[in-house]
Amino acid sequence: MFLFPRIQRVLGPVACRRFSPASYALRGTGDRPLPLDNSYTVKTGPSAALSRGDTHMPPPAAKRVCGLKMPAVLRIGTHNGTFHCDEVLACFLLRQLPEYKDAEIVRTRDPALLSECDVVVDVGGEFDPKRHRYDHHQRSFSETFHSLRPEKRWVTKLSSAGLVYLHFGQRVLAQRLEREEGDPEVQVLYDKVYENFVEEIDAIDNGISQWDEEPRYTVTSNLSSRVGHLNPRWNDKDQDTQAGFHKAMEMVGEEFLDRLDFYHRSWLPARSLVEEAIRTRDEVDVGGEVVVFTQGGCPWKEHLFNLEQELGIEPTVKFVLYPDQSGQWRVQCVPAGPHTFQNRLSLPEAWRGVRDEALSTLSGIPGCVFVHASGFIGGNRTREGALAMARHTLKGAAKSSANGN
């Protein structure tokens, strides 16, 4: 029944009977009940009045209720009117931190109201982390992740989402994962979530295209577009954006947490599996160009490329071996890069499209099942057979290179 159950427990219901949520919210406004949704501004004082426009209901400053001093509520400021994905995500991220968990979101462009906020995002024309001002619209602003943290490689201009993520993202991830900020997994996920979630929002909000030429088709289903569709249509009679803003924040937050959960519970374990395979590759083949995964289905390509670079792997890996769902083994070629179908080294031309006993006879390797017509993957009934197919290919390539071919 009461907004402050702790006070009721301490002082008893009788002492606090006169303090109800409605009487507290409407104190100083007279006896007439007022709408309490967030699309209004409550002006306190002798001539308190309710005005439409700035979507902000200021919480009362610290007051004494039943003899106890109530703490002031922290406020996150952002602009009113049409909302965008960047400030929606920025507000959601801040709300994940303990100090802003119950913070009120003040949507306004009034400098006086913004000056009273504890943190301001995407409005105000200031970037000042010491004062928690995170706008990116001013002419003087050109910051990127790399400019603010030179050890990071991303050079996309930051929006309010990227600014808040840069300054608070590690704390948010550590909070959600119940880890220390310095935990290596938090650091890896911090980079991954920016590159594969937040950077896109930064680029779209700042009008940065993915390509230099005219696109072949239009994408209207990305997260930023879906947030935009939650704004009122131009010809709707009701142009109030408050309900849509909170719906957008719920949608963006759900997708952010879902993506973080995927990277934490699926993507990161795959990285650990690939790293272990790279570190033990010399036990598989003395040349170090073959790795074995003990479990199939692992998404390995991105991790392999990244870890090779991070660990300075030379020579690079040419083949990966892993069991398939039937218990047989696959030998797959490593592509030349993350976005190409070209291989670092393909299985022999003569094997391609040949199957079973014919392939075993041709290759001299027992248990062969197939080699794909393009030469990027093959199969064998045993791990030893799949490894023999990789070794045979490596030996042939070395011989060809020695002969100058």
Side-chain angles (χ1 to χ4, degrees):
M1 177 178 179
F2 295 100
L3 282 176
F4 304 102
R6 183 180 177 189
I7 297 173
Q8 186 179 1
R9 288 197 302 269
V10 174
L11 301 179
V14 175
C16 293
R17 181 166 296 162
R18 290 186 300 168
F19 181 75
S20 67
S23 66
Y24 181 63
L26 298 175
R27 181 169 294 171
T29 62
D31 296 330
R32 186 179 179 182
L34 300 175
L36 293 178
D37 63 345
N38 286 334
S39 62
Y40 294 87
T41 298
V42 171
K43 297 179 180 178
T44 58
S47 59
L50 188 70
S51 65
R52 188 80 183 250
D54 293 318
T55 52
H56 163 50
M57 180 173 287
K63 291 187 176 182
R64 291 192 177 275
V65 180
C66 299
L68 294 181
K69 187 176 182 180
M70 299 304 302
V73 178
L74 294 180
R75 287 174 283 189
I76 301 169
T78 190
H79 63 82
N80 57 356
T82 301
F83 51 84
H84 312 97
C85 194
D86 68 317
E87 80 266 16
V88 169
L89 178 58
C91 291
F92 174 81
L93 291 174
L94 289 169
R95 279 256 187 104
Q96 304 311 295
L97 299 172
E99 64 267 38
Y100 295 112
K101 178 177 179 290
D102 299 313
E104 183 180 12
I105 296 176
V106 179
R107 300 186 65 225
T108 182
R109 293 185 185 274
D110 186 334
L113 291 176
L114 290 173
S115 69
E116 297 174 356
C117 293
D118 300 277
V119 55
V120 176
V121 300
D122 210 44
V123 70
E126 291 182 273
F127 171 52
D128 185 356
K130 292 181 180 178
R131 296 175 48 247
H132 290 317
R133 272 23 186 188
Y134 302 101
D135 195 11
H136 66 110
H137 294 100
Q138 55 274 27
R139 288 175 61 90
S140 60
F141 185 89
S142 59
E143 303 291 0
T144 67
F145 230 100
H146 180 69
S147 69
L148 296 176
R149 297 188 60 175
E151 74 276 14
K152 304 299 184 184
R153 65 182 179 275
W154 305 291
V155 294
T156 299
K157 182 181 176 181
L158 296 168
S159 69
S160 62
L163 283 171
V164 168
Y165 187 80
L166 185 146
H167 288 92
F168 297 95
Q170 287 178 236
R171 285 187 59 205
V172 171
L173 267 56
Q175 183 84 16
R176 297 295 309 187
L177 302 176
E178 298 182 344
R179 302 287 183 91
E180 297 294 328
E181 284 187 58
D183 188 298
E185 289 192 359
V186 171
Q187 302 302 313
V188 171
L189 290 171
Y190 176 69
D191 288 355
K192 181 64 176 176
V193 170
Y194 181 75
E195 186 170 50
N196 288 268
F197 192 88
V198 183
E199 186 179 22
E200 168 192 327
I201 296 170
D202 284 343
I204 290 174
D205 195 78
N206 284 304
I208 301 170
S209 299
Q210 288 180 281
W211 44 80
D212 295 326
E213 299 178 0
E214 193 72 20
R216 293 185 177 180
Y217 56 89
T218 301
V219 176
T220 61
S221 59
N222 58 53
L223 185 58
S224 294
S225 295
R226 283 182 282 130
V227 167
H229 293 319
L230 294 177
N231 281 281
R233 297 178 178 90
W234 71 271
N235 54 352
D236 284 345
K237 291 182 179 179
D238 185 0
Q239 289 293 309
D240 187 2
T241 60
Q242 191 71 354
F245 177 87
H246 286 284
K247 187 175 180 180
M249 193 162 65
E250 182 179 351
M251 179 181 72
V252 170
E254 183 177 346
E255 293 209 16
F256 176 85
L257 295 179
D258 181 70
R259 189 70 62 87
L260 175 59
D261 181 70
F262 169 77
Y263 290 142
H264 180 225
R265 297 175 56 197
S266 178
W267 180 85
L268 198 58
R271 177 185 167 93
S272 298
L273 188 69
V274 174
E275 184 172 2
E276 178 63 22
I278 289 176
R279 294 189 185 278
T280 59
R281 70 192 187 284
D282 290 337
E283 300 173 14
V284 176
D285 185 75
V286 292
E289 297 179 84
V290 182
V291 298
V292 175
F293 302 139
T294 57
Q295 183 177 345
C298 169
W300 54 268
K301 293 178 185 177
E302 177 189 2
H303 296 304
L304 180 66
F305 294 133
N306 289 341
L307 288 165
E308 281 184 330
Q309 187 173 12
E310 292 173 22
L311 301 174
I313 301 300
E314 285 292 341
T316 56
V317 175
K318 305 301 188 300
F319 295 101
V320 299
L321 275 56
Y322 54 87
D324 62 19
Q325 293 180 337
S326 68
Q328 297 181 346
W329 281 76
R330 299 292 179 96
V331 50
Q332 185 169 346
C333 308
V334 176
H339 307 296
T340 179
F341 291 108
Q342 299 298 316
N343 301 315
R344 289 175 175 175
L345 179 61
S346 298
L347 292 167
E349 175 80 33
W351 295 0
R352 300 175 194 177
V354 185
R355 298 185 61 87
D356 302 322
E357 283 302 319
L359 180 57
S360 293
T361 300
L362 178 63
S363 64
I365 300 170
C368 288
V369 178
F370 78 99
V371 168
H372 192 274
S374 66
F376 86 98
I377 194 170
N380 196 285
R381 294 188 179 88
T382 67
R383 177 184 183 277
E384 292 73 20
L387 179 57
M389 293 172 75
R391 284 174 171 168
H392 185 285
T393 306
L394 287 166
K395 191 177 295 186
K399 184 177 180 181
S400 178
S401 178
N403 292 335
N405 297 326

